[in-house]
PDB file of all heavy atoms in Angstrom:
ATOM      1  N   THR A  12       4.695   2.709  -2.810  1.00 83.00           N
ATOM      2  CA  THR A  12       5.716   1.676  -2.993  1.00 83.00           C
ATOM      3  C   THR A  12       5.928   1.238  -4.456  1.00 83.00           C
ATOM      4  O   THR A  12       6.866   0.617  -4.824  1.00 83.00           O
ATOM      5  CB  THR A  12       5.461   0.331  -2.214  1.00 83.00           C
ATOM      6  OG1 THR A  12       4.199  -0.118  -2.731  1.00 83.00           O
ATOM      7  CG2 THR A  12       5.510   0.586  -0.823  1.00 83.00           C
ATOM      8  N   TRP A  60       8.119   8.694   2.920  1.00 90.00           N
ATOM      9  CA  TRP A  60       6.934   9.225   3.526  1.00 90.00           C
ATOM     10  C   TRP A  60       6.551  10.564   3.101  1.00 90.00           C
ATOM     11  O   TRP A  60       7.440  11.415   3.005  1.00 90.00           O
ATOM     12  CB  TRP A  60       6.994   9.117   5.097  1.00 90.00           C
ATOM     13  CG  TRP A  60       6.882   7.778   5.598  1.00 90.00           C
ATOM     14  CD1 TRP A  60       7.871   6.960   6.164  1.00 90.00           C
ATOM     15  CD2 TRP A  60       5.683   6.929   5.744  1.00 90.00           C
ATOM     16  NE1 TRP A  60       7.382   5.777   6.540  1.00 90.00           N
ATOM     17  CE2 TRP A  60       6.058   5.776   6.419  1.00 90.00           C
ATOM     18  CE3 TRP A  60       4.288   7.193   5.463  1.00 90.00           C
ATOM     19  CZ2 TRP A  60       5.159   4.784   6.630  1.00 90.00           C
ATOM     20  CZ3 TRP A  60       3.439   6.263   5.768  1.00 90.00           C
ATOM     21  CH2 TRP A  60       3.796   5.011   6.345  1.00 90.00           C
ATOM     22  N   GLY A 110       0.824   0.823  -1.350  1.00 83.00           N
ATOM     23  CA  GLY A 110       1.806   1.398  -0.480  1.00 83.00           C
ATOM     24  C   GLY A 110       1.211   1.436   0.951  1.00 83.00           C
ATOM     25  O   GLY A 110       0.456   0.507   1.406  1.00 83.00           O
ATOM     26  N   TYR A 111       1.669   2.398   1.807  1.00 83.00           N
ATOM     27  CA  TYR A 111       1.319   2.467   3.249  1.00 83.00           C
ATOM     28  C   TYR A 111       0.585   3.744   3.568  1.00 83.00           C
ATOM     29  O   TYR A 111       0.986   4.770   2.923  1.00 83.00           O
ATOM     30  CB  TYR A 111       2.558   2.299   4.050  1.00 83.00           C
ATOM     31  CG  TYR A 111       3.351   0.934   3.771  1.00 83.00           C
ATOM     32  CD1 TYR A 111       4.283   0.955   2.772  1.00 83.00           C
ATOM     33  CD2 TYR A 111       3.101  -0.208   4.477  1.00 83.00           C
ATOM     34  CE1 TYR A 111       5.006  -0.186   2.461  1.00 83.00           C
ATOM     35  CE2 TYR A 111       3.629  -1.316   4.257  1.00 83.00           C
ATOM     36  CZ  TYR A 111       4.663  -1.385   3.328  1.00 83.00           C
ATOM     37  OH  TYR A 111       5.350  -2.529   3.012  1.00 83.00           O
ATOM     38  N   LYS A 168      -4.191  -4.652   6.063  1.00 50.00           N
ATOM     39  CA  LYS A 168      -3.751  -4.994   7.406  1.00 50.00           C
ATOM     40  C   LYS A 168      -2.711  -3.986   7.893  1.00 50.00           C
ATOM     41  O   LYS A 168      -2.231  -3.153   7.180  1.00 50.00           O
ATOM     42  CB  LYS A 168      -2.991  -6.401   7.410  1.00 50.00           C
ATOM     43  CG  LYS A 168      -1.784  -6.467   6.497  1.00 50.00           C
ATOM     44  CD  LYS A 168      -1.152  -7.771   6.313  1.00 50.00           C
ATOM     45  CE  LYS A 168      -0.240  -7.839   5.251  1.00 50.00           C
ATOM     46  NZ  LYS A 168       0.042  -9.219   4.739  1.00 50.00           N
ATOM     47  N   VAL A 169      -2.570  -3.976   9.218  1.00 55.00           N
ATOM     48  CA  VAL A 169      -1.615  -3.115   9.781  1.00 55.00           C
ATOM     49  C   VAL A 169      -0.272  -3.954   9.896  1.00 55.00           C
ATOM     50  O   VAL A 169      -0.213  -5.069  10.363  1.00 55.00           O
ATOM     51  CB  VAL A 169      -2.027  -2.650  11.185  1.00 55.00           C
ATOM     52  CG1 VAL A 169      -0.964  -1.917  11.890  1.00 55.00           C
ATOM     53  CG2 VAL A 169      -3.250  -1.786  11.129  1.00 55.00           C
ATOM     54  N   VAL A 170       0.803  -3.287   9.514  1.00 52.00           N
ATOM     55  CA  VAL A 170       2.150  -3.858   9.552  1.00 52.00           C
ATOM     56  C   VAL A 170       3.032  -3.035  10.407  1.00 52.00           C
ATOM     57  O   VAL A 170       2.923  -1.797  10.489  1.00 52.00           O
ATOM     58  CB  VAL A 170       2.761  -4.112   8.140  1.00 52.00           C
ATOM     59  CG1 VAL A 170       1.898  -4.941   7.299  1.00 52.00           C
ATOM     60  CG2 VAL A 170       2.949  -2.733   7.395  1.00 52.00           C
ATOM     61  N   SER A 171       4.032  -3.651  11.044  1.00 52.00           N
ATOM     62  CA  SER A 171       4.829  -2.901  12.013  1.00 52.00           C
ATOM     63  C   SER A 171       6.266  -2.585  11.385  1.00 52.00           C
ATOM     64  O   SER A 171       6.964  -1.820  11.930  1.00 52.00           O
ATOM     65  CB  SER A 171       5.004  -3.706  13.234  1.00 52.00           C
ATOM     66  OG  SER A 171       5.613  -4.952  13.008  1.00 52.00           O
ATOM     67  N   TYR A 172       6.506  -3.267  10.203  1.00 49.00           N
ATOM     68  CA  TYR A 172       7.866  -3.069   9.710  1.00 49.00           C
ATOM     69  C   TYR A 172       8.069  -1.790   8.820  1.00 49.00           C
ATOM     70  O   TYR A 172       9.220  -1.479   8.661  1.00 49.00           O
ATOM     71  CB  TYR A 172       8.348  -4.277   8.810  1.00 49.00           C
ATOM     72  CG  TYR A 172       7.330  -4.732   7.815  1.00 49.00           C
ATOM     73  CD1 TYR A 172       7.357  -4.168   6.525  1.00 49.00           C
ATOM     74  CD2 TYR A 172       6.363  -5.674   8.115  1.00 49.00           C
ATOM     75  CE1 TYR A 172       6.439  -4.695   5.607  1.00 49.00           C
ATOM     76  CE2 TYR A 172       5.468  -6.085   7.086  1.00 49.00           C
ATOM     77  CZ  TYR A 172       5.444  -5.606   5.930  1.00 49.00           C
ATOM     78  OH  TYR A 172       4.660  -5.939   4.949  1.00 49.00           O
ATOM     79  N   ILE A 173       6.926  -1.196   8.468  1.00 58.00           N
ATOM     80  CA  ILE A 173       7.016   0.156   7.731  1.00 58.00           C
ATOM     81  C   ILE A 173       6.061   1.011   8.568  1.00 58.00           C
ATOM     82  O   ILE A 173       4.919   0.748   8.588  1.00 58.00           O
ATOM     83  CB  ILE A 173       6.659   0.130   6.293  1.00 58.00           C
ATOM     84  CG1 ILE A 173       7.552  -0.822   5.478  1.00 58.00           C
ATOM     85  CG2 ILE A 173       6.584   1.483   5.728  1.00 58.00           C
ATOM     86  CD1 ILE A 173       8.848  -0.202   5.075  1.00 58.00           C
ATOM     87  N   LYS A 174       6.558   2.110   9.211  1.00 55.00           N
ATOM     88  CA  LYS A 174       5.653   2.950   9.979  1.00 55.00           C
ATOM     89  C   LYS A 174       6.169   4.377  10.081  1.00 55.00           C
ATOM     90  O   LYS A 174       7.459   4.620   9.882  1.00 55.00           O
ATOM     91  CB  LYS A 174       5.377   2.336  11.334  1.00 55.00           C
ATOM     92  CG  LYS A 174       6.851   2.214  12.160  1.00 55.00           C
ATOM     93  CD  LYS A 174       6.478   1.476  13.508  1.00 55.00           C
ATOM     94  CE  LYS A 174       7.782   1.117  14.133  1.00 55.00           C
ATOM     95  NZ  LYS A 174       7.690   0.308  15.256  1.00 55.00           N
ATOM     96  N   LYS A 175       5.378   5.252  10.323  1.00 60.00           N
ATOM     97  CA  LYS A 175       5.766   6.653  10.518  1.00 60.00           C
ATOM     98  C   LYS A 175       5.734   6.974  11.900  1.00 60.00           C
ATOM     99  O   LYS A 175       6.815   7.382  12.486  1.00 60.00           O
ATOM    100  CB  LYS A 175       4.876   7.655   9.681  1.00 60.00           C
ATOM    101  CG  LYS A 175       5.280   9.075   9.746  1.00 60.00           C
ATOM    102  CD  LYS A 175       6.579   9.257   9.104  1.00 60.00           C
ATOM    103  CE  LYS A 175       7.004  10.682   9.184  1.00 60.00           C
ATOM    104  NZ  LYS A 175       8.393  10.915   8.705  1.00 60.00           N
ATOM    105  N   ASN A 178       2.691   2.221  16.164  1.00 58.00           N
ATOM    106  CA  ASN A 178       3.194   0.840  16.096  1.00 58.00           C
ATOM    107  C   ASN A 178       3.197   0.278  14.693  1.00 58.00           C
ATOM    108  O   ASN A 178       3.592  -0.819  14.386  1.00 58.00           O
ATOM    109  CB  ASN A 178       2.342  -0.130  17.033  1.00 58.00           C
ATOM    110  CG  ASN A 178       2.666   0.240  18.492  1.00 58.00           C
ATOM    111  OD1 ASN A 178       3.680   0.846  18.815  1.00 58.00           O
ATOM    112  ND2 ASN A 178       1.614   0.136  19.298  1.00 58.00           N
ATOM    113  N   GLY A 179       2.656   1.108  13.761  1.00 60.00           N
ATOM    114  CA  GLY A 179       2.462   0.462  12.308  1.00 60.00           C
ATOM    115  C   GLY A 179       1.844   1.428  11.472  1.00 60.00           C
ATOM    116  O   GLY A 179       1.532   2.538  11.649  1.00 60.00           O
ATOM    117  N   SER A 180       1.596   0.900  10.186  1.00 59.00           N
ATOM    118  CA  SER A 180       0.860   1.595   9.118  1.00 59.00           C
ATOM    119  C   SER A 180      -0.011   0.699   8.475  1.00 59.00           C
ATOM    120  O   SER A 180       0.126  -0.595   8.524  1.00 59.00           O
ATOM    121  CB  SER A 180       1.766   2.231   8.168  1.00 59.00           C
ATOM    122  OG  SER A 180       2.610   1.262   7.540  1.00 59.00           O
ATOM    123  N   MET A 181      -1.028   1.126   7.651  1.00 55.00           N
ATOM    124  CA  MET A 181      -1.975   0.156   6.977  1.00 55.00           C
ATOM    125  C   MET A 181      -1.274  -0.067   5.565  1.00 55.00           C
ATOM    126  O   MET A 181      -0.973   0.903   4.944  1.00 55.00           O
ATOM    127  CB  MET A 181      -3.243   0.817   6.940  1.00 55.00           C
ATOM    128  CG  MET A 181      -4.282  -0.080   6.463  1.00 55.00           C
ATOM    129  SD  MET A 181      -6.053   0.424   6.658  1.00 55.00           S
ATOM    130  CE  MET A 181      -6.051   2.242   6.470  1.00 55.00           C
ATOM    131  N   TYR A 182      -1.246  -1.260   5.234  1.00 56.00           N
ATOM    132  CA  TYR A 182      -0.586  -1.692   4.059  1.00 56.00           C
ATOM    133  C   TYR A 182      -1.528  -2.127   3.049  1.00 56.00           C
ATOM    134  O   TYR A 182      -2.616  -2.778   3.233  1.00 56.00           O
ATOM    135  CB  TYR A 182       0.253  -2.987   4.241  1.00 56.00           C
ATOM    136  CG  TYR A 182       0.837  -3.611   3.003  1.00 56.00           C
ATOM    137  CD1 TYR A 182       1.749  -2.821   2.157  1.00 56.00           C
ATOM    138  CD2 TYR A 182       0.524  -4.816   2.577  1.00 56.00           C
ATOM    139  CE1 TYR A 182       2.319  -3.402   1.075  1.00 56.00           C
ATOM    140  CE2 TYR A 182       1.050  -5.402   1.392  1.00 56.00           C
ATOM    141  CZ  TYR A 182       1.904  -4.714   0.722  1.00 56.00           C
ATOM    142  OH  TYR A 182       2.376  -5.142  -0.473  1.00 56.00           O
ATOM    143  N   PHE A 183      -1.422  -1.558   1.845  1.00 58.00           N
ATOM    144  CA  PHE A 183      -2.340  -1.785   0.658  1.00 58.00           C
ATOM    145  C   PHE A 183      -1.445  -2.392  -0.494  1.00 58.00           C
ATOM    146  O   PHE A 183      -0.467  -1.744  -0.894  1.00 58.00           O
ATOM    147  CB  PHE A 183      -2.985  -0.454   0.156  1.00 58.00           C
ATOM    148  CG  PHE A 183      -3.872   0.086   1.225  1.00 58.00           C
ATOM    149  CD1 PHE A 183      -3.399   0.937   2.138  1.00 58.00           C
ATOM    150  CD2 PHE A 183      -5.249  -0.222   1.203  1.00 58.00           C
ATOM    151  CE1 PHE A 183      -4.297   1.537   3.086  1.00 58.00           C
ATOM    152  CE2 PHE A 183      -6.149   0.374   2.179  1.00 58.00           C
ATOM    153  CZ  PHE A 183      -5.571   1.262   3.069  1.00 58.00           C
TER     154      PHE A 183
END
Side-chain angles (χ1 to χ4, degrees):
T12 57
W60 286 103
Y111 303 89
K168 60 187 167 198
V169 174
V170 297
S171 61
Y172 51 88
I173 299 283
K174 59 188 172 187
K175 184 65 183 173
N178 296 330
S180 62
M181 194 164 31
Y182 174 63
F183 296 88

